[in-house]
Amino acid sequence: VQLIAVNGDCSVGIDVEAQADLHVVPNPTSGVFRLVGVPTPARYVLLDVQGKVLRSGSLNGADPVVDLEGAAVSGTYTLRITTPDQVSNHRVVVEPMR
């Protein structure tokens, strides 16, 4: 069951507080990052600003690693994490390698 809250101006929001302990490390990233504190099993979807799915997959084990090679250029993306109990969105900033 996915809970979606609608506020007075009809914006749609998804509860992020439930996964406040989840961290994307490093963030900003050059394309490879770990998800620290993600409850498993889980699935992830990486979305661009238009909502296009760039990458998706399963997350298992402690601190899973996501590699965005070939999927994302510099910019800000939304990482959606789905567990059996909840859905949360997290901002991921991709910067060019230095």
Side-chain angles (χ1 to χ4, degrees), residues 23-36 44 46 59 63-68 79 81 92-94:
H23 301 284
V24 177
V25 179
N27 193 14
T29 179
S30 60
V32 177
F33 58 87
R34 288 183 305 119
L35 296 171
V36 177
Y44 78 92
L46 184 74
L59 301 170
D63 301 343
V65 174
V66 176
D67 185 351
L68 302 180
L79 180 69
I81 305 293
V92 176
V93 177
V94 177

Side-chain angles (χ1 to χ4, degrees), residues 79-93:
L79 180 69
R80 179 169 296 146
I81 305 293
T82 304
T83 68
D85 300 327
Q86 60 197 1
V87 176
S88 64
N89 291 318
H90 306 272
R91 185 174 59 118
V92 176
V93 177

Side-chain angles (χ1 to χ4, degrees), residues 32-75:
V32 177
F33 58 87
R34 288 183 305 119
L35 296 171
V36 177
V38 66
T40 57
R43 295 203 42 82
Y44 78 92
V45 176
L46 184 74
L47 305 161
D48 67 11
V49 294
Q50 285 90 27
K52 177 182 174 188
V53 175
L54 301 177
R55 175 86 32 107
S56 64
S58 297
L59 301 170
N60 296 301
D63 301 343
V65 174
V66 176
D67 185 351
L68 302 180
E69 183 177 342
V73 295
S74 297

Side-chain angles (χ1 to χ4, degrees), residues 8-27:
D9 65 0
C10 296
S11 323
V12 176
I14 297 177
D15 181 19
V16 215
E17 188 174 332
Q19 288 189 6
D21 291 337
L22 188 148
H23 301 284
V24 177
V25 179
N27 193 14

